Amino acid sequence: QVQLVESGGGLVQAGESLRLSCAASGSIFSITVMGWYRQAPGKQRELVATITTGRTTGGRTNYAGSVRGRFTISRVNAENTVNLQMDSLKPEDTAVYYCNAKYTYGLDVGDYWGQGTQVTVSS
């Protein structure tokens, strides 16, 4: 089992910045990718950004087109933490942001999710 604890959400104005953090604990050796997804009211959950976590192959990032160039995902392996720096925020970035960890354990693959943190951007 893996536990994910998010922090850093809040209310900001358009153009401002926020930093989200996600700390993983438990069976972290099984995690291959960590990232952030978001879900706005009435919409499906969507990918924001991901980063691979392997010690030799890790650090590869992937971004949704709508956030590329504004958001930066990074990892701190020693702290089992993944951060999402969000700059130049727009009202359409308003959503609940969820931390995600994808795991592989033998033939078993799946996802762990955090509880979500609210990000609200006012115009």
Side-chain angles (χ1 to χ4, degrees), residues 62-78:
N62 180 47
Y63 294 94
S66 59
V67 307
R68 189 174 293 117
R70 299 188 297 122
F71 291 11
T72 302
I73 190 169
S74 61
R75 60 183 183 141
V76 182
N77 276 346

Side-chain angles (χ1 to χ4, degrees), residues 103-110:
Y103 71 88
T104 299
Y105 188 73
L107 298 179
D108 186 22
V109 296

Side-chain angles (χ1 to χ4, degrees), residues 74-96:
S74 61
R75 60 183 183 141
V76 182
N77 276 346
E79 299 176 359
N80 302 315
T81 296
V82 171
N83 300 313
L84 183 69
Q85 177 66 38
M86 305 185 293
D87 298 321
S88 302
L89 282 161
K90 304 176 180 180
E92 51 263 43
D93 294 318
T94 295
V96 177

Side-chain angles (χ1 to χ4, degrees), residues 38-46 91-98 117-121:
R38 67 186 181 187
Q39 187 167 18
K43 295 187 177 182
Q44 291 188 330
R45 190 172 298 187
E46 63 177 5
E92 51 263 43
D93 294 318
T94 295
V96 177
Y97 284 68
Y98 296 91
T117 185
Q118 178 70 46
V119 172
T120 303
V121 184

Side-chain angles (χ1 to χ4, degrees), residues 1-5 22-31 34 79-81 99 101 112:
Q1 288 290 320
V2 170
Q3 294 76 43
L4 303 174
V5 178
C22 175
S25 61
S27 302
I28 58 174
F29 60 87
S30 64
I31 298 174
M34 290 188 70
E79 299 176 359
N80 302 315
T81 296
C99 181
Y112 293 106

